[in-house]
Amino acid sequence: MEAKLTLVGAGPGDADLITLKGIKALKNADVILYDELANADILEFAPEHALKMYVGKKAGNPSFSQEEINGLIVRLARKRGHVVRLKGGDSFVFGRGHEEMEYARDHGVACEVIPGVSSCIAVPASLDIPVTRRGVSESFWVITGTTQNGELSDDISLAVQSKATVIVLMGMSKLPEICALYKHFGRGHLPMAVIQNGTRPDEKSVMGQVWEIPRLVKENNIGTPAIMILGEVVALHPSYALEYLQSMSLVS
C-alpha cells in the first residue's frame, strides 16, 4: 500500500465541471477530504469503501485548522493509502493546495496535482462575461479580497489603477472598502458584477456600477461564496444596460 495524496480541483460548483482525470482519481480513492466549496454530488464517484470526511472552513467558523488538515492527510495516507483532497475550483488558486502538498512530501507521502476549473474564469463565463475581450480588456487580475491577517490586500490598490479586468475572490466582507477604493481613484462608474454560488442552481447575481453595488448586494441578499468582477467587460453582459437603467430609475 502506497501512501499517496492527490490534490483534485472540483471546479466552481457545478458537479459536471470536474475534469475526467479528477473523476478517475476519485474512483481510486481510499480517503476523500473535501471542502465547503466542493459540490457534494461529486462524492458519488467515490468507491463505497472510501472514507469521506468534510474538512471545509467557513468564514469565521473553521471546522479544522490548516495544521489539522495537514496532519490528517499524512496520517490517513499512511493508514489507508490513497487520499484525495477535493477542493473547490483549483487547488492552487487560493486553495492552500501547495501548502498541503509540501507538508505531505516533507513527510514521505507521494503527491499528484490534478488541476481544476477555477471560479475566477468559469463563473464569469457562465454568465457570458469574458474576462478578456479584444479592444476592451487586455488582461485580468485575480486577487484575494482578504489576506491571511484579515486585511484588505494591498494588490487591490494597484489593480484599481489598471485597465485590466479584476476578479476578487473571498472578498465579500471587504466589499464596501473595495468599492470605496475604486471611487477614491475616480472609478466609481466602472461596471461591476457580484455573483454568488456561480454555476450552481441557486446562483444569484447583481450588476451595476461600483458606486451602487453595496446597495444592490444588500437589497438582493447576495452572500458568500461570491466573486466580484470589476471592469468594462461586465458591460458586455446582455442585461447590464437594462439593470443599470432600472437602478437609475429607483434612485431618480
Side-chain angles (χ1 to χ4, degrees), residues 3-176:
K4 180 181 178 180
L5 166 67
T6 302
L7 293 165
V8 176
D14 183 341
D16 289 343
L17 291 176
I18 189 172
T19 65
L20 179 58
K21 192 168 185 177
I23 291 173
K24 289 178 179 178
L26 285 170
K27 288 181 176 180
N28 289 286
D30 298 305
V31 177
I32 300 172
L33 302 178
Y34 63 99
D35 269 0
E36 175 69 22
L37 298 181
N39 192 316
D41 291 345
I42 295 172
L43 298 176
E44 296 177 4
F45 293 111
E48 290 186 7
H49 76 269
L51 172 66
K52 305 172 187 69
M53 184 181 298
Y54 169 73
V55 294
K57 296 186 284 295
K58 292 184 179 179
N61 187 29
S63 56
F64 287 86
S65 69
Q66 189 59 53
E67 291 71 23
E68 289 172 329
I69 294 172
N70 292 346
L72 267 176
I73 289 171
V74 172
R75 289 196 301 274
L76 290 172
R78 289 172 175 171
K79 182 178 181 180
R80 290 177 173 261
H82 184 199
V83 174
V84 167
R85 182 71 171 97
L86 186 64
K87 291 173 171 286
D90 179 87
S91 302
F92 279 11
V93 180
F94 303 124
R96 298 186 178 180
H98 192 270
E99 296 174 39
E100 295 173 2
M101 180 188 74
E102 192 172 51
Y103 185 91
R105 282 180 174 168
D106 287 346
H107 289 78
V109 176
C111 297
E112 180 182 3
V113 179
I114 297 177
V117 178
S118 175
S119 63
C120 68
I121 55 173
V123 170
S126 72
L127 265 70
D128 299 334
I129 299 174
V131 294
T132 61
R133 167 68 187 265
R134 186 171 58 174
V136 179
S137 176
E138 299 174 353
S139 61
F140 66 98
W141 296 46
V142 183
I143 304 173
T144 179
T146 308
T147 62
Q148 188 173 5
N149 60 10
E151 301 296 325
L152 184 68
S153 172
D154 290 338
D155 288 345
I156 297 286
S157 296
L158 299 174
V160 170
Q161 301 172 68
S162 169
K163 294 180 180 179
T165 303
V166 177
I167 312 294
V168 182
L169 308 182
M170 301 175 293
M172 287 300 286
S173 65
K174 304 295 184 183
L175 176 64

